[in-house]
Structures are given as C-alpha cells and as structure tokens.
Amino acid sequence: MNTVMSAEEHQARSERSYKLMLAFAMVSMTMMFGGLTSAYVVSKSRVDWLVDFQLPTAFFYSTIAIIGCSVTFHLAKVAIKKDDRAAVTRWLLITLGLGTAFVILQFVGFGQIIESGHYFTGSESSITTTFLYVVTMTHLAHLAGGMIALFVIIYNHFKQKYSSRQTLGIELGAMYWHFLDFLWVYLFLFLYFFK
C-alpha cells in the first residue's frame, strides 16, 4: 500500500512540476508581449504613425478560429476524463484544423494589408505595420510550439498513452492553448482599439 501511495504521490508531484514550469514559461511570454505592446504605445506618438490603419478582416476570422481551439481542446480534456476516446480524437483533430485555419488566416491577413498598399519592411513600410508584423509573427512563433505539442498529443493519444488516470499531456496542451487564445484575443483587441 505504501508503494502505491508513494508512486501516486510521485506522479502528483511530477504533474505539479510540469504545470508550474509551463506557468513560468507563460508568465515569461506575457512579459515579452507586455514589452512589445508598451513599445507600440510609445511609438504611437511618432509623426509617421498611421492613424487610419484598419486591421484586415482575416484577423477577425482568425480570432474566431483560435477561440474555437480553446473550446475544442477543453472538450478533449473533458472527454479523456470520461475515457471517451472517440470524442478525444474528434476534438483534438478539430483543434488541429482550427489551429491550421488560424495560421492560414493570419497570412491571408498579411496579404490583405499588402493589397491595401501597406508594407511591413522596406522604404514603403511604416512603423505601424512593422509593429503589427512583429507582434503577430511573435505570436505565430509561439503558436508553432503549440502546434508541435498538439501533434505530439495526437500521436500519444493514438498510441493510447492517455486515459482518465493519465491526462497530463492533454491538460498541459489545453493549458498552453488557452494561454495562446487569451494572448491573441488581448493582442487583437489591443491592436483594434489602440490606434
């Protein structure tokens, strides 16, 4: 009995450690984006700032897609706790589809910005579009990490490594995707309202 208890205690401590490490990483990322948005605020006083710049419509749709990712990842977490493997598969694959849609829509949005005559680099660029590009590409870089983690989670799920007794991978993935979702919604609202 003591051996079982110590194994369970070890697993619980290990899970807490992984969650704490992820929380520290998310705090660090939050500070970085706080710095970027602060620089954006300071740069707004420049004479070459575009006051009439509008976010592309694709960014609105990408926001819906990433919110959907958060919802479907949560549903996958709920399903694994019930050992409903078919539902977990469905929700994880939908999350992957929505995450892919988010990335595609971000690049469609970049294309819409260029079509409207604004550029991100070079002599025809502006500080406004350059900041927008840096902020969104930095978020996409973090999302790439989330996509890799999602592929690993899907692979492990098909290898039957998760169950109602072993949910850590899915929990960590959901935690990170909720963070990515919150971060993008914050960035989107910031970029939309702070012109």
Side-chain angles (χ1 to χ4, degrees):
M1 186 71 173
N2 287 341
T3 312
V4 173
M5 285 299 284
S6 65
E8 287 175 2
E9 285 176 13
H10 175 71
Q11 182 179 349
R13 285 183 185 167
S14 179
E15 287 179 8
R16 279 195 302 274
S17 297
Y18 282 118
K19 288 177 183 177
L20 191 59
M21 285 190 293
L22 180 57
F24 279 131
M26 291 188 299
V27 167
S28 158
M29 288 180 247
T30 301
M31 291 171 66
M32 180 182 65
F33 280 98
L36 285 172
T37 52
S38 295
Y40 187 94
V41 170
V42 170
S43 297
K44 190 177 177 258
S45 61
R46 290 173 48 134
V47 291
D48 57 346
W49 189 261
L50 299 176
V51 291
D52 59 344
F53 180 77
Q54 298 293 319
L55 287 178
T57 55
F59 279 18
F60 290 88
Y61 295 115
S62 69
T63 302
I64 293 167
I66 201 165
I67 290 170
C69 286
S70 229
V71 171
T72 54
F73 223 133
H74 173 74
L75 292 171
K77 188 173 95 169
V78 169
I80 196 63
K81 289 182 178 179
K82 296 176 182 175
D83 283 319
D84 186 349
R85 298 192 53 74
V88 175
T89 301
R90 179 175 60 250
W91 294 124
L92 287 177
L93 292 178
I94 292 172
T95 304
L96 179 61
L98 288 169
T100 303
F102 175 83
V103 174
I104 291 168
L105 287 165
Q106 292 282 282
F107 284 100
V108 168
F110 293 150
Q112 289 174 341
I113 291 169
I114 292 168
E115 284 172 13
S116 69
H118 300 291
Y119 297 91
F120 303 112
T121 59
S123 59
E124 296 180 352
S125 69
S126 73
I127 190 69
T128 311
T129 53
T130 300
F131 258 114
L132 175 70
Y133 184 73
V134 168
V135 166
T136 53
M137 286 304 288
T138 305
H139 181 264
L140 279 172
H142 289 88
L143 189 117
M147 291 293 276
I148 292 167
L150 181 56
F151 278 116
V152 170
I153 289 165
I154 291 170
Y155 174 80
N156 286 339
H157 171 65
F158 282 119
K159 289 287 189 180
Q160 300 188 7
K161 293 189 176 180
Y162 302 124
S163 68
S164 57
R165 296 180 58 141
Q166 178 51 274
T167 62
L168 182 63
I170 292 176
E171 284 187 51
L172 291 173
M175 198 171 146
Y176 187 66
W177 275 86
H178 292 328
F179 169 74
L180 290 172
D181 175 16
F182 169 78
L183 184 59
W184 174 254
V185 169
Y186 159 73
L187 292 171
F188 176 78
L189 292 174
F190 175 84
L191 294 168
Y192 183 79
F193 287 109
F194 198 86
K195 297 176 184 176

